[in-house]
């Protein structure tokens, strides 16, 4: 039995970790922290867990975490994990950090994109970027996994085979992201107020989204090329889900079969990648509707010969493959288990 | 390994049965029929099942079903099961029928509510009404289970303790139902056309909903009293989910504790019933939002002393506890398994 | 040219008043107050008004209001209008108060339902309940109009003819209300947070909704009978709109034609009442979808002879006929204009 | 009084024309045709028009149209207008055609994009592309106006100033479109079935959308340059509305002020264009939510200096500025009226 703790368990990613871990026979959730809800039943904040667990939130403390856990998930806001992680590592814990605090390798990127000087540049080197489809072996041996961002996960997975195989101009990639409201987390504001958040297609951070840094970093690492991503997110009227649409210019005349080949080679045997490009049926190209609640990443594409571009689509559930599902996938790998353990959950149809 | 077949597997309840059964280690889905989609992969109709199964739809025939199944689910329209069931029973199959064709005990009720003369009145006697919280022991021994309707399930479960304990006037019960769009099944029409079905609160069959017959039948059986239900459904802008709000007049002065007592006694140990009546937290009274994808029935209530009424709420996912989840619960019971096997799935939060 | 001011113009009802009044040739909006947004363009809070007006919010003060207005709308929270109104009346203004502070005639009702002692019981007598279909003549001569609540408007309009004509038992009326998210106003909370407010059918204030008091008051006044209303509201996943479903027990055997007669007689010539009871077409019974943005109240009904009940439906846009549209209707009447001036706006189809 | 007819009045654009025209004092709608609904009240198909009109649908015939109308709107499917238009022109009618049949100047474009040989190439020359912000003077004198497509309107309006002023590389423009469900019209299918159409972000016609031809044509005409558009539409979970996000590569280093200048110059005095680029308020960049029901086109932009791209956004209501609103704007111009007559309707907030 592996003992795991969740720091920041009252948010949506924390709740999703609980949903996934509480049904596991091989795992014991020994700790779910929340300062705000200390002492309260978790099902009051996550009503889906009523009759599933009688766990209560507790206050976080290094001592408590060290005492009760082998593995700990940090589901805290960006900037809160950075000082916690070294202390947790020091007491011998394995850490899966869902924040952005250890995702970037270059400390300068934190100054550029996150506007703060990273206090532990050495840990940035040690941390493994937790995208199993790219870094499986490193994750297995990691003591600190930096769990990727949601839009980054979707975008990297759809672009990596194209960039690696030189099918598109890596310095002129346009990424148009559509994302549901759960991406903002559980804190209400006028922009998430139902009357204002319903019926929107609302662009935001249109030239400055911080996940851009992760995407460029990972695509550079996989291709040893300079990569430039122009990412623009849009809030749409769904709760869970991301569709990332990437546009790449083809350098020369290519065939559709080359694209198929690139994707098949990259994701051969990867259980959570589904290539979706059909001429029949309800899902002809990726659509977040069909991954809600699952850990799948649906990837599809089209070649626009007239224009000279490849359009690559990827759909994920931002709380699953985009956060907590992927975090559990990383845990499985760290534990030496099959990475799909407890995660081959089909989505709901319809939802 | 138990071999099960699903007749009518291309509809929403058929798809939901597949979702629940395909992940079971102790069950093999040997047959999923659809005349319309014969030969096609089921994931083209149920995209959530891509990478979960490579099963294909086949044409239904008694021979095929008999040869390959021990248990068979009928997820066919009302009127289609009635002639199929006797043939399936004859070849020794156990049948769980999700249609309305064997739910009513009195053949006259079919003439009254469904406008047809039932050809097998003897089978109506033999069939067991598949609401495990009321008929567990009979289901265990049944060869034909008539799986309840969705609004009936929600309504009966919230009213049974009140009627049984004589807390409300059984002859003047008002039931106001709110239901999602998946309740109509997978056949498009102008009334389910997205631009017309979005943003609605649309009353329909306001004085003639056929599930009324089941509700009255079951409440009569449990209380040995005359029962009269005035049920009025409304289509609301969700996909899955039912909230049934029942209004009962209190015959005399009663205490809140009596109501608590009635519910606790009725559902003590019943894993799929959650009593929801809280003063804190997100779900203070039942809301279908928090049961989507799960087999739970959330039940809550309030006593309006000023007016002299009890308000009883129950929330279910119409495709789960309202159809396929309950059907699998019935299968579990028929197989002598714990009724919750494969069904203690928490809902998604948020969804 | 009539000069009108709006106190509390940054909320949804304030914004709706602006939308309706800014297009009028005979009216000049001289004042739109908001402490929070003082000095800001109104279109920053109400983006629909961009290019329609360059009006800015100002701070409210009796002097300013007195100086610049003939008529003033109060679109402030309950409890805020009560002390403002006497001062406005004193300086000779005509007041249309959208809050609940002057709707109830009996001061004791404020203690019972609103938990405060009303400081101006004499003004309660003077105030006219601003439901034009019931109190047209009084409104014409009023200097203080108490604009009805949204659920009250819908419910009273559908029940008045039934109660007045003795068609139902007035002491056992059940009212089940479904309401959109704009009803809570513009202040965010976890309960209006998009991920939590989407996909709900959420009961609230199930035995204690304060609009009950207005409904009982008005139905008593019209019928000279004791009236008892059991009202239970449910939040549903739309933004604008209310459907009020009322259930009344028929005292004796009645005919459908009697109900038709009662409604026709009550609302003959009333432009904003549409009787909707059709066997064909998209709207067979009232549905808020088809009144969004309009001042119509769609009323329909059914007689359930088997059960002995009348089901009465009414659909309104809570911000229009349920608040600001009705307030402008009242203004028109006070000004001696046709009550429909500027208000015969069709809803959008589809929306 | 101008007599106008609507051929194909039972669809959404036909209904929207009725909504806009029936409230006009200077216009009489003498004819609303629908073969399917011949003889029926229009309000049965467009319930928003109940109590607004008692008009009935009639069968279309050239005689009838000629007899009763001066101006006629064609709101029929693509391919149906092409043979009707010459006959209507012959009898001296002025025609505003909402279909695509006369939008393209080059007959070869019909073979390429619409797969049919256009039978009246001479009329293509005569037809005026009905985008008033570009072709005001021609529209005034036109007898045949080809009303633009919805995605074309949004995209052309946001790109024209950039292409004309040489601010972006005209041969590498990426356009990512998000569109509501009313865009498909009123015919149900499994893809518009509410359970399947809700919660989607569904790419379709990702490299072959036919509106691409219009966009390229108009941008070429305005700039005398070769233009290449890669347009990719996505269905999102709203009913009305389009957001078109265009990505253009800046040829050289440019300043934000140049972009402002280009837009201001292009749309100075154009009442239906709102430049939306704010640092405060609810709408900081265009969002279709805030144009629903109005004829505005909200345009905004951002300069991404790091990447070297301009991101241009435009939001319209596809049934208004994207179809019927624009058609009425064209009628106004043809009649010599102020183009905004009857069209300065603010959107609803919230909706």
């Amino acid at each position: 039995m592996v003992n795991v703790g969740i720091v920041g368990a009252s948010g949506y990613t924390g709740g999703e970790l609980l949903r996934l871990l509480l049904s596991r026979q091989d795992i014991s959730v020994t700790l779910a922290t929340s300062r705000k809800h200390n002492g309260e039943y978790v099902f009051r904040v996550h009503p889906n867990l009523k009759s599933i667990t009688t766990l209560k939130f507790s206050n976080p403390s290094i001592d408590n975490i060290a005492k009760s856990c082998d593995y700990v998930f940090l589901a805290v806001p960006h900037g809160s994990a950075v000082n916690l992680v070294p202390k947790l590592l020091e007491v011998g814990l394995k850490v899966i950090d869902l924040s952005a605090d250890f995702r970037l390798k270059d400390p300068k990127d934190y100054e550029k994109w996150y506007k703060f000087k990273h206090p532990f540049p050495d840990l940035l080197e040690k941390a493994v970027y937790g995208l199993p489809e790219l870094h499986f072996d490193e994750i297995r041996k990691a003591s600190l996994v930096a769990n990727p961002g949601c839009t980054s996960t979707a975008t990297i997975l759809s672009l990596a085979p194209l960039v690696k195989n030189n099918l598109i101009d890596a310095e002129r990639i346009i990424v148009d992201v559509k994302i549901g409201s759960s991406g903002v987390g559980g804190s209400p504001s006028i922009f998430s107020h139902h009357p204002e958040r319903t019926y929107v297609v609302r662009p935001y951070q249109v030239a400055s989204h911080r996940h851009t840094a992760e995407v460029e970093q990972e695509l550079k690492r996989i291709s040893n090329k300079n990569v430039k991503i122009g990412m623009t997110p849009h809030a749409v009227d769904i709760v869970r889900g991301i569709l990332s649409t990437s546009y790449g210019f083809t350098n020369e005349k290519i065939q559709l079969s080359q694209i198929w080949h690139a994707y098949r080679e990259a994701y051969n045997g990867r259980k959570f990648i589904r290539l979706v490009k059909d001429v029949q049926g309800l899902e002809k190209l990726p659509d977040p509707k069909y991954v809600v609640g699952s850990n799948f990443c649906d990837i599809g594409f089209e070649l626009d010969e007239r224009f000279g571009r490849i359009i690559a689509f990827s759909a994920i559930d931002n709380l699953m493959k985009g956060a907590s599902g992927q975090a559990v996938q990383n845990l499985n790998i760290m534990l030496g288990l099959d990475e799909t353990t407890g995660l081959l959950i089909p989505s709901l149809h319809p939802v």
Side-chain angles (χ1 to χ4, degrees), chain A:
Chain A
M1 183 71 78
V2 183
N3 293 320
V4 308
I6 299 163
V7 176
S10 69
Y12 291 145
T13 56
E16 196 71 347
L17 287 167
L18 286 167
R19 177 174 77 89
L20 294 170
L21 295 172
L22 286 168
S23 64
R24 293 277 290 264
Q25 305 303 316
D26 56 339
I27 282 171
S28 171
V29 179
T30 54
L31 199 82
T33 82
S34 166
R35 285 183 208 280
K36 190 181 167 192
H37 295 282
N38 180 32
E40 213 170 329
Y41 285 114
V42 301
F43 65 71
R44 279 216 169 118
V45 172
H46 306 299
N48 59 325
L49 300 180
K50 195 169 156 103
S51 292
I52 300 288
T53 184
T54 53
L55 194 69
K56 289 179 175 180
F57 292 112
S58 59
N59 265 330
S61 85
I62 300 293
D63 267 12
N64 265 348
I65 303 171
K67 209 164 52 195
S68 58
C69 307
D70 308 314
Y71 287 77
V72 62
F73 293 92
L74 302 185
V76 295
H78 304 314
S80 301
V82 71
N83 291 307
L84 199 54
V85 163
K87 293 175 196 159
L88 296 169
L89 292 176
E90 209 176 307
V91 294
L93 287 163
K94 306 262 186 168
V95 178
I96 298 169
D97 176 18
L98 281 78
S99 87
D101 290 357
F102 293 91
R103 289 182 198 151
L104 304 179
K105 293 295 160 198
D106 186 346
K108 272 182 249 143
D109 274 345
Y110 280 98
E111 293 169 48
K112 193 168 150 194
W113 292 94
Y114 288 86
K115 314 296 175 199
F116 82 106
K117 196 171 163 57
H118 201 287
F120 304 105
D122 52 321
L123 279 181
L124 294 182
E125 264 175 69
K126 201 178 159 188
V128 173
Y129 190 76
L131 193 57
E133 286 74 15
L134 263 62
H135 302 293
F136 188 92
D137 291 330
E138 296 162 75
I139 293 163
R140 217 164 33 151
K141 294 169 281 184
S143 39
L144 171 58
V145 167
N147 212 60
C150 52
T151 56
S152 335
T153 295
T155 306
I156 295 166
L157 288 173
S158 68
L159 283 173
L162 301 178
V163 172
K164 195 178 175 191
N165 290 280
N166 209 24
L167 295 174
I168 55 172
D169 177 353
E171 301 194 38
R172 318 202 105 191
I173 301 172
I174 296 290
V175 181
D176 187 292
V177 176
K178 299 91 182 162
I179 184 166
S181 62
S182 62
V184 303
S187 298
S189 83
I190 187 64
F191 297 103
S192 70
H193 189 47
H194 184 274
E196 301 299 343
R197 183 60 179 74
T198 297
Y199 223 113
V200 305
V201 185
R202 183 201 292 156
Y204 68 98
Q205 297 173 23
V206 298
S208 62
H209 196 280
R210 302 190 295 192
H211 287 179
T212 309
E214 292 172 45
V215 178
E216 291 189 351
Q217 165 182 292
E218 292 301 308
L219 294 178
K220 275 176 199 165
R221 286 168 79 190
I222 209 176
S223 67
N224 285 315
K225 271 187 295 199
N226 197 24
V227 174
K228 224 146 122 200
I229 299 290
M231 178 144 68
T232 299
H234 303 73
V236 291
D237 192 4
I238 57 177
V239 171
R240 285 173 180 243
I242 289 180
L243 184 78
S244 173
T245 310
S246 296
Y247 301 97
F249 295 97
T250 50
N251 289 315
E252 54 201 88
K253 198 137 191 83
I254 65 159
Q255 306 290 323
L256 198 62
S257 60
Q258 290 175 264
I259 312 177
W260 270 113
H261 194 74
Y263 280 110
R264 288 208 193 279
E265 188 186 61
Y267 299 127
N268 180 29
R270 307 310 317 214
K271 294 278 179 53
F272 292 120
I273 306 292
R274 303 192 295 196
L275 297 184
V276 176
K277 179 170 166 50
D278 205 337
V279 291
Q280 271 191 287
L282 275 168
E283 193 191 17
K284 299 200 183 70
L285 282 169
D287 186 338
K289 180 180 182 76
Y290 300 116
V291 297
V292 168
S294 87
N295 200 48
F296 291 111
C297 175
D298 284 3
I299 295 180
F301 52 87
E302 190 53 89
L303 174 61
D304 182 352
E305 288 187 78
R306 189 190 77 94
F307 187 89
R309 60 176 179 149
I310 296 173
I311 314 157
F313 302 94
S314 55
I316 59 169
D317 180 328
N318 55 303
L319 297 178
M320 286 292 295
K321 185 65 180 164
S324 307
Q326 184 145 273
V328 172
Q329 188 182 355
N330 282 321
L331 174 70
N332 287 339
I333 296 169
M334 293 164 91
L335 289 171
L337 302 173
D338 184 307
E339 65 178 333
T340 66
T341 308
L343 288 173
L344 274 182
I345 312 159
S347 182
L348 303 175
H349 177 240
V351 78

